[in-house]
Amino acid sequence: MAFIELKDITFAYDEGENVLSGFNLLIEEGECVFVRGDNGSGKSTLFRILTGISYPASGIYKFDGEEINKKYLKDNRNSKLFHKRVGYLFQNPDIMLFSNTVFDDVAFGPRQIGLGDKEVLARTEDILKTFDIEELRDKAPYHLSGGQKKKVALAAVFALNPEVILLDEPLAGLDKKGRGWLVEFLKEVKSSGKTLIIATHSDEIEAELDGRVCEL
Amino acid sequence: MIPDWMNEKDTYVPPKKGGAYLYKTMRSMGLIMSRITIQTGSEGKINIPAKWKIIVLLLSIIAISVTNNKTVLLFFAAATLLIIALKPPEVINRIVKNAFASGIIASIFLLPAFVTNPVGRMNNLLVLIKVMLSISLVSIFNHSTQWNHITRGLRCLHVPTVFVFILDITLKYIYVLGNFINEMLTAHVMRAVGKNKDKYGSIGGIMGVTFIRGNELNKAMYEAMVCRGFTDDYKGL
Ligand SMILES: Nc1ncnc2c1ncn2[C@@H]1O[C@H](COP(=O)(O)OP(=O)(O)OP(=O)(O)O)[C@@H](O)[C@H]1O
Ligand SMILES: [Mg+2]
């Protein structure tokens, strides 16, 4: 049985036509999958289903043996554990940042999983250093540049140390240096055994990371 | 390059409590948003210009409020019911709900008078009916006219540009900002995997960012419009 299993998924936004129909996807733990497709082909929609924000009209989604549906996620503990294990970088980083400072936004995840103050501080600083955004630490997220916001949002996702990481256009908005760096970072994340699912229009990430392409 | 703790899996047992507040907020926000989306108004096959709809609506409401003649009210009630009956079921549902909600609020206000002054009871009932009729007419209008047509209609009726502009931008941004709040809540829930000690702080943060975003969007939109030739002479978007 695969780690992530989508079987015969059909999805439509209300009153619209099907965005996904009869869609199948199997992903093993530790795999790296690139989701490709034209604008509007349903990449972000697929991610919404994989993270349990939207539910398919028909078909089955299984994550680590559990069927993920409305009923399962209605249980508070299930949904928390699920969201802890599956991290999601939204295509628009603006919607992810709500705290007064970058530090608080990145520390939000570690605080949530009940780490002690010291550990929260250590983790957050690790991540800020890794992403090379230490100097943004006390800034207000909504006043950052587009690329800086993207980095903070990425840092916020990784601070929770999820097992599966869904990245919707992670390279968009980053400069050349930032892109090169992120690709290297993702390589290491992959070799640490985490599962990566990445929607992208860029070839540079595919050339570097060893992964499989899923065309929508 | 990656920190050591990323090489390991966290063993995390989520607490049972907490999080319900966020979900509730998200659900009610979603509900409000779906209502706003639906109120974009589906115009039927017979297309009366919004200008005439506005005039008829205003005249009807004035007539309903000034008349004391029960036959006239009866006529309006019959006409309103007829129009409602021709709408699709979900629209009927919503219009009737609005009418009853306004009726209940009006009754609460009228209740003291109704109890203490037996002579005026008939008048109180009339007021109640007038309120419900007016609200029904407004919801019918709302459900059968697209927003951009409403603003164009107002423009034809020589309502000042600034007023129409503000109305139009507000209507559009209620949707955009509502959506933004909704998405922020969703993104928040993705990371709110434990017990939130400061749940009001989170919501406050979202509201604060939304407010700033609203202001910035407004400014950006105005600038973008100017770049595309907008000269404060508003012709409806
Ligand atoms: N909230 C929504 N309500 C209705 N329709 C939607 C919504 N979100 C997306 N859609 C529609 O679903 C389709 C797929 O959208 P989606 O965002 O998944 O595309 P995408 O592959 O991520 O595109 P992009 O490369 O531009 O990010 C589009 O046709 C879009 O119009
Ligand atoms: Mg997308």
Side-chain angles (χ1 to χ4, degrees):
Chain A
M1 191 176 51
F3 190 48
I4 291 171
E5 194 177 335
L6 289 175
K7 218 162 97 188
D8 218 8
I9 298 284
T10 305
F11 182 89
Y13 290 98
D14 30 32
E15 293 167 28
E17 33 190 284
N18 280 351
V19 178
L20 300 171
S21 53
F23 182 78
N24 292 295
L25 181 65
L26 294 179
I27 300 174
E28 299 296 338
E29 191 165 7
E31 243 191 313
C32 172
V33 175
F34 297 108
V35 180
R36 307 207 68 160
D38 302 335
N39 291 133
S41 57
K43 300 181 294 294
S44 301
T45 307
L46 174 63
F47 279 15
R48 290 176 69 86
I49 292 172
L50 284 170
T51 44
I53 303 173
S54 297
Y55 305 102
S58 67
I60 291 177
Y61 168 28
K62 275 191 179 171
F63 174 79
D64 200 11
E66 286 288 352
E67 188 177 335
I68 305 297
N69 50 29
K70 212 171 191 163
K71 188 166 155 260
Y72 179 78
L73 289 182
K74 210 168 177 185
D75 185 322
N76 206 322
R77 269 206 285 194
N78 289 342
S79 88
K80 281 176 187 165
L81 188 59
F82 177 68
H83 292 316
K84 157 76 181 82
R85 297 180 69 189
V86 180
Y88 180 25
L89 175 81
F90 286 74
Q91 189 166 6
N92 171 11
D94 264 318
I95 61 167
M96 297 184 60
L97 310 172
F98 59 89
S99 303
N100 288 327
T101 65
V102 167
F103 181 88
D104 277 341
D105 241 320
V106 177
F108 181 79
R111 281 189 184 130
Q112 281 285 308
I113 55 175
L115 299 179
D117 284 347
K118 252 195 208 152
E119 226 174 325
V120 169
L121 187 70
R123 253 198 199 199
T124 310
E125 279 178 344
D126 276 350
I127 279 282
L128 290 176
K129 200 190 282 166
T130 312
F131 278 81
D132 195 23
I133 47 176
E134 286 156 297
E135 73 282 0
L136 303 180
R137 192 190 150 113
D138 296 318
K139 289 215 167 141
Y142 43 81
H143 280 154
L144 300 179
S145 77
Q148 287 171 330
K149 277 183 195 163
K150 193 100 193 188
K151 283 190 191 167
V152 176
L154 272 164
V157 171
F158 281 100
L160 207 49
N161 195 20
E163 293 164 47
V164 179
I165 301 129
L166 293 119
L167 304 172
D168 202 344
E169 299 285 350
L171 298 187
L174 295 182
D175 57 22
K176 196 160 182 221
K177 186 171 145 236
R179 290 205 303 270
W181 174 84
L182 186 62
V183 172
E184 289 304 312
F185 174 75
L186 290 178
K187 260 191 203 165
E188 280 197 37
V189 172
K190 182 172 183 291
S191 54
S192 76
K194 303 209 187 301
T195 311
L196 286 170
I197 307 174
I198 305 171
T200 177
H201 292 294
S202 102
D203 298 321
E204 60 187 297
I205 194 166
E206 272 185 45
E208 289 285 329
L209 261 111
D210 162 41
R212 168 162 71 92
V213 174
C214 160
E215 194 83 37
L216 275 183
Chain B
M1 178 157 48
I2 64 173
D4 289 337
W5 49 264
M6 269 181 73
N7 281 311
E8 280 150 40
K9 271 188 201 173
D10 293 323
T11 45
Y12 174 56
V13 182
K16 210 169 175 166
K17 287 238 172 73
Y21 176 76
L22 265 177
Y23 275 106
K24 262 188 224 146
T25 315
M26 201 164 77
R27 218 174 302 129
S28 46
M29 196 60 217
L31 257 173
I32 295 171
M33 285 313 296
S34 65
R35 247 178 239 163
I36 292 178
T37 334
I38 286 157
Q39 282 182 2
T40 43
S42 54
E43 297 182 342
K45 288 184 196 83
I46 325 155
N47 234 337
I48 310 160
K51 180 162 77 168
W52 295 112
K53 286 195 205 163
I54 296 172
I55 294 176
V56 171
L57 177 70
L58 278 178
L59 289 181
S60 310
I61 289 179
I62 292 172
I64 290 173
S65 14
V66 296
T67 187
N68 269 326
N69 186 331
K70 281 177 207 110
T71 325
V72 173
L73 272 186
L74 216 58
F75 164 76
F76 274 109
T80 310
L81 281 177
L82 185 69
I83 305 173
I84 295 177
L86 293 173
K87 300 277 166 203
E90 56 298 347
V91 176
I92 296 181
N93 186 7
R94 233 167 256 116
I95 294 174
V96 171
K97 258 191 206 156
N98 284 349
F100 274 98
S102 63
I104 288 170
I105 294 171
S107 334
I108 293 171
F109 280 109
L110 291 172
L111 196 62
F114 193 81
V115 174
T116 55
N117 180 9
V119 190
R121 273 184 195 163
M122 196 58 212
N123 269 336
N124 290 339
L125 271 181
L126 278 183
V127 170
L128 188 63
I129 291 168
K130 286 176 177 187
V131 169
M132 287 174 70
L133 269 181
S134 310
I135 297 290
S136 308
L137 283 175
V138 173
S139 358
I140 292 172
F141 174 71
N142 203 4
H143 280 290
S144 61
T145 318
Q146 277 171 12
W147 280 349
N148 52 340
H149 292 177
I150 297 180
T151 45
R152 195 177 304 153
L154 287 173
R155 199 65 202 108
C156 293
L157 294 172
H158 299 286
V159 173
T161 316
V162 177
F163 179 78
V164 180
F165 181 69
I166 291 174
L167 180 75
D168 205 14
I169 301 276
T170 311
L171 290 177
K172 287 198 174 95
Y173 274 105
I174 288 176
Y175 184 70
V176 173
L177 287 180
N179 236 351
F180 183 73
I181 296 175
N182 216 1
E183 287 194 308
M184 274 205 104
L185 282 167
T186 312
H188 187 73
V189 166
M190 295 288 107
R191 289 197 285 146
V193 297
K195 207 170 164 181
N196 203 344
K197 280 180 216 130
D198 186 21
K199 58 191 177 194
Y200 298 110
S202 299
I203 299 287
I206 291 175
M207 291 307 157
V209 175
T210 308
F211 181 74
I212 291 167
R213 282 288 292 172
N215 263 335
E216 280 170 2
L217 277 175
N218 243 333
K219 219 171 67 196
M221 169 142 163
Y222 181 77
E223 285 162 3
M225 284 169 74
V226 170
C227 288
R228 286 162 59 194
F230 178 63
T231 50
D232 288 354
D233 172 28
Y234 187 62
K235 297 198 178 71
L237 294 174

